[in-house]
Amino acid sequence: MGPINTSVPERASRTYRELLGWPVTTGHRYRPRSGCTCGEPGCSTPGAHPRREVAVLTGDEVALGGALIAATRYFDALVMPKETGLATLAALGEAVVVPCVVDETRAVLLVRAATGQHALENGLLPTVELRTGPTGWIALPPSHRTRWDTPPWHDRTGHPVLLPHGQEIRSHLLEALGHGRHAGAMSDVCGPVLGGFPEYCVYCERLVERTEETLLMLGFSASGARPSLYAHPECPKPRQLAPKRARRA
């Protein structure tokens, strides 16, 4: 199976329907000179939100430039600031694959249907919106300004990803929001935490401030899956033990 391409609306629509089993509808269109077809001045999601009249697409009749909208019937969606979403993915690493759609300001993490509330602290986090059930929705790529940071299929095989239970990402999401371990002592130890989530020394595992002096390795990758590493300047580096010599018989 070749690479899955969601840059073409017709192909993307077919992929969502046939590979993932997600019915999709056509949403509003984005017009470069006129903005969103909803006509709302200052629309916050131009070309990436539903129309009032919803009709599930059964073929490739996608309107030119129209958004692809999926109801949260077969998954739950956790909508949050982009920085928080990418920090959560970075904390998860390769342990759990969480499909994630991003636009310029937001990240949408997808978990198993009816489990999204288990990712939230006491069922509620102010900066995270849970969309669940047939009345919720998300805009799928190639809707205006959206793209997959982590697609819901495996790149090598093209097989669908098994969506994680919301509980599996709970601790990592709370960590990204600054509610994880040592959260109560963050301001006392290292002052304001940049990016909304704590950083820990790779040597002593205590909180460390992100500065040029404490930076050990600069991270890379679009999702932050290879994060930057920090350490206290006063922390000794682990001693490298010399290899043991083989004993003579």
Side-chain angles (χ1 to χ4, degrees), residues 22-25 54 69-75 132-138 140:
W22 298 351
V24 293
T25 64
V54 176
I69 306 297
T72 52
R73 183 188 298 271
Y74 300 97
F75 54 82
T132 183
T135 59
W137 61 272
I138 64 169
L140 298 172

Side-chain angles (χ1 to χ4, degrees), residues 18-19 21-22 28 42 45 49 51 57-58 60 62 67 70 84 97 108 120 136 144 168 175-176 180 184 210 222-223:
E18 298 177 1
L19 178 66
W22 298 351
H28 279 284
T45 54
H49 67 95
R51 297 175 179 271
L57 300 180
T58 57
D60 295 330
V62 181
T84 301
V97 179
V108 182
L120 308 181
H144 185 56
E168 295 183 69
E175 187 92 359
R210 298 190 191 99
S223 67

Side-chain angles (χ1 to χ4, degrees), residues 13-75:
S13 174
R14 193 180 310 125
T15 295
Y16 300 140
R17 293 195 320 270
E18 298 177 1
L19 178 66
L20 304 176
W22 298 351
V24 293
T25 64
T26 296
H28 279 284
R29 294 184 296 110
Y30 174 73
R31 301 166 297 183
R33 296 183 180 181
S34 306
C36 187
T37 53
C38 71
E40 186 70 26
C43 175
S44 60
T45 54
H49 67 95
R51 297 175 179 271
R52 289 185 178 180
E53 63 281 0
V54 176
V56 175
L57 300 180
T58 57
D60 295 330
E61 63 277 17
V62 181
L64 181 62
L68 289 182
I69 306 297
T72 52
R73 183 188 298 271
Y74 300 97
F75 54 82

Side-chain angles (χ1 to χ4, degrees), residues 141-165:
S143 301
H144 185 56
R145 295 177 179 172
T146 66
R147 65 175 178 83
W148 286 110
D149 178 88
T150 305
W153 52 77
H154 297 284
D155 288 332
R156 291 186 178 181
T157 64
H159 295 159
V161 166
L162 179 63
L163 296 180
H165 192 285

Side-chain angles (χ1 to χ4, degrees), residues 197-216:
F197 60 98
E199 196 66 63
Y200 299 93
C201 175
V202 296
Y203 298 139
C204 70
E205 296 189 349
R206 292 180 294 122
L207 285 165
V208 62
E209 188 175 1
R210 298 190 191 99
T211 66
E212 293 184 2
E213 184 181 10
T214 60
L215 178 65
L216 285 183

Side-chain angles (χ1 to χ4, degrees), residues 16 24 50 89 98 109 151 194:
Y16 300 140
V24 293
L89 295 181
V98 184
L109 273 57
L194 299 178

